Amino acid sequence: MKNFEQSVEKAVADGVVLGAVVCAKGKVNYSKVFGNRTLKPQAEQMERDTVFVLASMTKLMTSIAVLQLVERGAVKLDDDVAPLLPVLAKQPILTGFGEDSTPITKERTGPITLRHLLTHSVGGTYEFANGDVLQWRKIQGLLGKPAVTVEEAFGHPLLYEPGESWCYGTGSDWAGKVVEALSGLSLEDYMKEHIWSPLGIKDITFWPAARPDMANRMCSMSIRDTRSGKAVQSRKPIEMAPGAQEAFGGQGAYATMGDYTEILNSLMVDDERLLKKATTAAMFRPQLTGDSRQALNEAMAHPEWAVGYYPPGTYNWGLGGLLVEGKTESWRKPGTLLWGGAINSAWFIDRVTGVCGAFGCNLLPSADPQIELLMKGFEEDIYGKAAADRPKTRL
């Protein structure tokens, strides 16, 4: 680990990052803290129990919640769940804009399924990721207005018929609403009862302000200063969903990297504390075909928008994250599941190699190239250690 640790320590010393926490489990059990979690009003060191913004790392937990309900027979992956999502269900397909900027739409004809929601093939995306959605929200007078519910934030038209293409987006947030509708619980209470408690973890929540013990351990948000290039602590809090009145299943949770890694490890070792073996296996199988798979690989051919390390290769989407489908130029084995969060944190699970891990860092803007080099170094060293510990074959 020395080269990786030296790289992060140098990054802290050079002001590239204020601090970070990394954890790995499986064939390599490792955790390390670097730098500071906050600098003002006074410097406080990063700790193993520092709490980070998960952002899109939340999506994996929402996928687990959905799949648990599928296991219990409450719903099927390919059921039409539109009746449970009235705001999304009534949204048409946005096909363009007229000369007077009037949106041109057509009626959606196909179903909306949980498989569509979990694999980003439902047609709903974020305004920052698509100019047409941005323009539609601008025309509606919605830009700059805090959205306190999933419906307010993402109740805009779809970009294509569900299942006919792929765009990274809001499906997990809507899937969280399905979990609430079917379980009768808030997403926080559902995850606490069915995901966090079974693993004995307590430092994950959608509402850190209601947990003083966690709020006091939050990692400060930092931003990359455009002039100096250094990471500086933000002068004011930056929230993923400011003013939110309900849990956003695609981006709203906070956690320590240690507790989050326990979730990764449960899926990797297949201990059935969260999901049955057959369900976990399905998470790690390709879900996209045809135009959807092609659209994903076109997006990943230029992965600068995505947080993490994504070398050239063939990708798909599982029921929880990006899936390495074919050989890439990296050490990851086909079947590896991984993804990141907008605040420059990331996770991976490689069940073939037997390693999983999480990299925690609160810094904007997203997909910071310097942080992604550290993420790459973290994975590289974990895999190197796993290979070094492999039993030698005797002739």
Coordinates of all heavy atoms in Angstrom, one line a residue, residues 82-118:
A82 N -46.1 2.0 -13.2 CA -46.6 3.4 -13.4 C -47.7 3.8 -12.5 O -47.8 4.9 -12.0 CB -47.0 3.5 -14.9
P83 N -48.7 2.9 -12.2 CA -49.7 3.2 -11.2 C -49.2 3.7 -9.9 O -49.9 4.4 -9.2 CB -50.6 2.0 -11.1 CG -50.3 1.2 -12.4 CD -48.9 1.5 -12.7
L84 N -48.0 3.2 -9.5 CA -47.5 3.6 -8.2 C -46.8 5.0 -8.3 O -46.4 5.5 -7.3 CB -46.5 2.6 -7.7 CG -47.1 1.2 -7.4 CD1 -46.0 0.2 -7.1 CD2 -48.1 1.2 -6.3
L85 N -46.5 5.5 -9.5 CA -45.8 6.7 -9.7 C -46.6 7.6 -10.6 O -46.3 7.9 -11.8 CB -44.5 6.4 -10.4 CG -43.5 5.3 -9.7 CD1 -42.4 4.9 -10.6 CD2 -43.0 5.9 -8.4
P86 N -47.7 8.2 -10.1 CA -48.6 9.0 -10.9 C -48.0 10.2 -11.6 O -48.3 10.5 -12.8 CB -49.7 9.4 -9.9 CG -49.1 9.2 -8.6 CD -48.1 8.1 -8.7
V87 N -47.0 10.8 -11.0 CA -46.4 12.0 -11.7 C -45.5 11.5 -12.8 O -45.6 12.1 -13.9 CB -45.6 12.8 -10.6 CG1 -44.8 13.9 -11.3 CG2 -46.5 13.4 -9.6
L88 N -44.7 10.5 -12.6 CA -43.9 10.0 -13.7 C -44.8 9.4 -14.8 O -44.5 9.5 -16.0 CB -42.9 8.9 -13.2 CG -42.0 8.3 -14.2 CD1 -41.1 9.3 -14.8 CD2 -41.1 7.2 -13.5
A89 N -45.8 8.7 -14.4 CA -46.7 7.9 -15.3 C -47.3 8.9 -16.4 O -47.5 8.5 -17.5 CB -47.7 7.2 -14.6
K90 N -47.6 10.1 -16.0 CA -48.3 11.0 -16.9 C -47.4 11.8 -17.8 O -47.8 12.5 -18.7 CB -49.2 12.0 -16.1 CG -48.4 13.0 -15.3 CD -49.4 13.9 -14.6 CE -48.7 15.0 -13.8 NZ -49.6 15.9 -13.1
Q91 N -46.0 11.6 -17.6 CA -45.1 12.3 -18.4 C -45.0 11.8 -19.9 O -44.9 10.6 -20.0 CB -43.7 12.3 -17.8 CG -43.6 13.0 -16.4 CD -44.2 14.4 -16.5 OE1 -43.9 15.2 -17.4 NE2 -44.9 14.8 -15.5
P92 N -45.1 12.7 -20.8 CA -44.9 12.2 -22.2 C -43.5 12.1 -22.6 O -42.6 12.2 -21.8 CB -45.6 13.4 -23.0 CG -45.2 14.6 -22.2 CD -45.3 14.1 -20.7
I93 N -43.2 11.7 -23.9 CA -41.9 11.7 -24.4 C -41.6 13.0 -25.1 O -42.3 13.5 -25.9 CB -41.7 10.6 -25.5 CG1 -42.3 9.2 -24.9 CG2 -40.3 10.4 -25.9 CD1 -41.6 8.7 -23.8
L94 N -40.5 13.6 -24.7 CA -40.0 14.9 -25.3 C -39.3 14.6 -26.6 O -38.2 14.0 -26.6 CB -39.2 15.7 -24.3 CG -38.6 17.0 -24.7 CD1 -39.8 18.0 -25.0 CD2 -37.6 17.6 -23.7
T95 N -39.8 15.1 -27.7 CA -39.1 14.9 -29.0 C -38.4 16.1 -29.6 O -37.7 15.9 -30.5 CB -40.2 14.4 -30.0 OG1 -41.2 15.4 -30.2 CG2 -40.9 13.1 -29.5
G96 N -38.6 17.2 -29.0 CA -37.9 18.4 -29.5 C -38.6 19.7 -29.1 O -39.5 19.7 -28.2
F97 N -38.3 20.8 -29.8 CA -38.9 22.1 -29.5 C -39.3 22.8 -30.8 O -38.5 22.7 -31.8 CB -37.9 23.0 -28.7 CG -37.6 22.4 -27.3 CD1 -36.5 21.6 -27.2 CD2 -38.3 22.7 -26.2 CE1 -36.2 21.0 -26.0 CE2 -38.0 22.2 -25.0 CZ -36.9 21.3 -24.9
G98 N -40.4 23.5 -30.8 CA -40.8 24.2 -32.0 C -40.0 25.5 -32.1 O -39.2 25.9 -31.3
E99 N -40.3 26.3 -33.2 CA -39.6 27.5 -33.5 C -39.8 28.5 -32.4 O -38.9 29.4 -32.1 CB -40.0 28.1 -34.8 CG -39.6 27.2 -36.0 CD -39.9 27.8 -37.3 OE1 -40.5 28.9 -37.3 OE2 -39.6 27.2 -38.4
D100 N -40.9 28.4 -31.7 CA -41.2 29.4 -30.6 C -40.8 28.8 -29.2 O -41.2 29.3 -28.2 CB -42.7 29.7 -30.6 CG -43.6 28.5 -30.4 OD1 -43.0 27.4 -30.4 OD2 -44.8 28.7 -30.2
S101 N -40.0 27.7 -29.3 CA -39.4 27.0 -28.1 C -40.5 26.2 -27.4 O -40.2 25.7 -26.3 CB -38.8 28.1 -27.1 OG -37.7 28.7 -27.7
T102 N -41.7 26.0 -28.0 CA -42.7 25.2 -27.3 C -42.2 23.7 -27.4 O -41.9 23.2 -28.4 CB -44.0 25.3 -28.1 OG1 -44.4 26.7 -28.0 CG2 -45.1 24.5 -27.4
P103 N -42.3 23.0 -26.2 CA -41.9 21.6 -26.2 C -42.8 20.8 -27.2 O -44.0 21.0 -27.2 CB -42.0 21.2 -24.8 CG -41.9 22.5 -24.0 CD -42.6 23.5 -24.9
I104 N -42.2 19.9 -27.9 CA -43.0 19.0 -28.8 C -42.9 17.6 -28.1 O -41.8 17.1 -27.8 CB -42.4 18.9 -30.2 CG1 -42.4 20.3 -30.8 CG2 -43.1 17.9 -31.0 CD1 -41.7 20.3 -32.2
T105 N -44.0 17.0 -27.8 CA -44.0 15.7 -27.1 C -45.0 14.7 -27.8 O -45.8 15.1 -28.6 CB -44.5 15.9 -25.6 OG1 -45.9 16.4 -25.6 CG2 -43.6 16.9 -24.9
K106 N -44.8 13.5 -27.4 CA -45.8 12.5 -27.8 C -46.1 11.6 -26.6 O -45.3 11.5 -25.6 CB -45.2 11.6 -28.9 CG -44.0 10.8 -28.5 CD -43.5 10.0 -29.7 CE -42.3 9.1 -29.3 NZ -41.8 8.3 -30.5
E107 N -47.2 10.9 -26.6 CA -47.6 10.1 -25.5 C -46.8 8.9 -25.3 O -46.4 8.2 -26.3 CB -49.1 9.7 -25.7 CG -49.7 8.9 -24.5 CD -51.2 8.6 -24.7 OE1 -51.7 9.1 -25.7 OE2 -51.7 7.8 -23.9
R108 N -46.4 8.5 -24.1 CA -45.7 7.3 -23.8 C -46.7 6.1 -24.0 O -47.8 6.2 -23.6 CB -45.2 7.3 -22.4 CG -44.5 6.0 -21.9 CD -44.1 6.1 -20.5 NE -45.2 6.4 -19.6 CZ -46.0 5.5 -19.1 NH1 -45.9 4.2 -19.4 NH2 -46.9 5.8 -18.2
T109 N -46.2 5.1 -24.6 CA -47.1 3.9 -24.9 C -46.7 2.7 -24.1 O -47.5 1.8 -23.9 CB -47.1 3.6 -26.4 OG1 -45.8 3.3 -26.8 CG2 -47.7 4.8 -27.2
G110 N -45.4 2.6 -23.8 CA -44.9 1.4 -23.1 C -45.0 1.4 -21.6 O -45.2 2.5 -21.0
P111 N -44.8 0.3 -20.9 CA -44.8 0.3 -19.4 C -43.6 0.9 -18.8 O -42.5 1.0 -19.5 CB -44.9 -1.2 -19.1 CG -44.2 -1.8 -20.2 CD -44.5 -1.0 -21.5
I112 N -43.6 1.2 -17.6 CA -42.5 1.6 -16.8 C -42.2 0.5 -15.7 O -43.1 0.2 -14.9 CB -42.7 3.0 -16.0 CG1 -42.8 4.1 -17.1 CG2 -41.6 3.3 -15.1 CD1 -43.2 5.4 -16.4
T113 N -41.1 -0.2 -15.8 CA -40.8 -1.3 -15.0 C -39.7 -1.0 -14.0 O -38.9 0.0 -14.2 CB -40.5 -2.6 -15.8 OG1 -39.2 -2.4 -16.3 CG2 -41.5 -2.8 -16.9
L114 N -39.6 -1.8 -12.9 CA -38.5 -1.6 -12.0 C -37.1 -1.9 -12.7 O -36.1 -1.2 -12.4 CB -38.6 -2.6 -10.8 CG -39.7 -2.2 -9.8 CD1 -39.9 -3.3 -8.8 CD2 -39.3 -0.9 -9.1
R115 N -37.1 -2.8 -13.7 CA -35.9 -3.0 -14.4 C -35.5 -1.8 -15.1 O -34.3 -1.4 -15.2 CB -36.1 -4.2 -15.4 CG -34.7 -4.8 -15.9 CD -34.9 -5.9 -16.9 NE -35.8 -6.9 -16.4 CZ -35.4 -8.0 -15.7 NH1 -34.1 -8.1 -15.5 NH2 -36.2 -8.9 -15.4
H116 N -36.4 -1.1 -15.7 CA -36.1 0.2 -16.4 C -35.5 1.2 -15.4 O -34.6 1.9 -15.7 CB -37.4 0.8 -17.0 CG -37.9 0.0 -18.2 ND1 -39.3 -0.1 -18.4 CD2 -37.3 -0.8 -19.1 CE1 -39.5 -0.8 -19.5 NE2 -38.3 -1.3 -19.9
L117 N -36.2 1.3 -14.2 CA -35.7 2.3 -13.2 C -34.3 2.0 -12.7 O -33.5 2.9 -12.5 CB -36.7 2.3 -12.1 CG -38.2 2.8 -12.4 CD1 -39.0 2.7 -11.1 CD2 -38.2 4.2 -12.9
L118 N -34.0 0.7 -12.5 CA -32.8 0.4 -11.9 C -31.6 0.4 -12.9 O -30.4 0.4 -12.5 CB -32.8 -1.0 -11.2 CG -33.8 -1.2 -10.0 CD1 -33.7 -2.5 -9.4 CD2 -33.6 -0.1 -9.0

